[in-house]
């Protein structure tokens, strides 16, 4: 398959060259006609070389631009980092005004609907001299006092 493909490319190349370049006929030409033919061929070669050079410069310019843009993209991607978001404390009123906008006209007291819970304060024992307390709490009477105080 590769050999067939090479032959097809070669045949296509020969066909394109035969269309673009007419066959040269040197027989029966004088020296001046040959010189004129050479000058014409040199002019054609110069024109083609200028076009080739222009195309090569455009390709080089585009390659350079592509490289610069890819470098910029890489730099931008490396610089972009997601910032840490800060927690914003909003009251219920502010939150409703932000969410509802101009529709929010009345104030709603969310705390009024909450149940009240009474907290039991822990009884703090008075700090006393432990030496006095040891004598009072010794024996069964002391344990009875601790049991009664716990209820």
């Amino acid at each position: 398959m590769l050999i067939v493909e090479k032959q097809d490319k070669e045949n296509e190349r020969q066909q394109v060259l035969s269309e673009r370049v007419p066959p040269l006929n040197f027989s029966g030409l004088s020296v001046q006609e040959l010189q004129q033919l050479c000058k014409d061929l040199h002019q054609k070669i110069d024109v083609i070389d200028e076009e080739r050079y222009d195309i090569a410069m455009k390709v080089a310019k585009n390659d350079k631009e592509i490289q610069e843009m890819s470098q910029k993209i890489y730099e931008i991607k490396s610089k972009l980092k997601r910032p840490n978001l800060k927690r914003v404390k909003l009251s219920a009123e502010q939150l409703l005004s932000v969410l509802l906008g101009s529709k929010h006209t009345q104030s709603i007291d969310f705390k009024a609907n909450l149940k009240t819970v009474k907290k039991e304060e822990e009884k703090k024992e008075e700090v006393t001299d432990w030496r006095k307390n040891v004598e009072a709490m010794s024996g069964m009477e002391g344990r009875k006092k601790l049991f009664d105080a716990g209820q």
Side-chain angles (χ1 to χ4, degrees):
M1 290 174 62
L2 292 175
I3 297 171
V4 172
E5 189 176 326
K6 280 185 180 182
Q7 289 175 352
D8 289 342
K9 284 185 180 182
E10 186 64 32
N11 292 339
E12 184 179 340
R13 182 174 181 265
Q14 291 298 330
Q15 184 180 4
V16 170
L17 285 176
S18 65
E19 288 175 5
R20 291 187 182 179
V21 180
L24 297 176
N25 189 4
F26 298 119
S27 62
L29 294 177
S30 66
V31 174
Q32 287 187 352
E33 291 173 343
L34 285 174
Q35 287 177 347
Q36 185 62 33
L37 180 64
C38 287
K39 287 181 184 178
D40 291 340
L41 288 175
H42 280 291
Q43 287 176 348
K44 288 181 182 179
I45 290 172
D46 288 342
V47 170
I48 290 173
D49 278 344
E50 288 175 6
E51 290 176 4
R52 183 184 54 83
Y53 179 78
D54 291 342
I55 291 172
M57 296 315 301
K58 285 181 184 179
V59 168
K61 181 182 173 186
N62 288 340
D63 286 343
K64 185 177 178 183
E65 287 178 9
I66 289 171
Q67 185 181 9
E68 289 175 357
M69 287 185 181
S70 62
Q71 181 68 25
K72 285 181 183 179
I73 289 171
Y74 177 75
E75 289 174 1
I76 289 172
K77 282 185 179 179
S78 65
K79 287 181 184 178
L80 287 180
K81 291 184 180 175
R82 200 167 199 186
N84 293 332
L85 300 178
K86 296 180 181 177
R87 183 172 293 277
V88 177
K89 293 184 179 181
L90 290 177
S91 68
E93 297 291 325
Q94 291 172 331
L95 187 61
L96 282 175
S97 66
V98 168
L99 292 175
L100 299 176
S102 61
K103 295 178 185 177
H104 177 66
T105 55
Q106 56 182 328
S107 65
I108 300 172
D109 188 16
F110 289 109
K111 291 182 180 180
N113 297 334
L114 297 176
K115 294 180 182 178
T116 57
V117 177
K118 293 181 183 177
K119 292 184 180 179
E120 294 181 18
E121 292 184 22
E122 296 180 15
K123 295 179 182 176
K124 294 183 180 178
E125 296 181 17
E126 295 179 16
V127 178
T128 58
D129 190 13
W130 62 273
R131 288 178 218 126
K132 293 178 187 175
N133 201 12
V134 166
E135 291 175 7
M137 294 294 180
S138 64
M140 289 300 286
E141 292 177 15
R143 289 192 181 136
K144 185 178 178 186
K145 287 180 188 176
L146 284 175
F147 181 74
D148 292 338
Q151 291 180 352

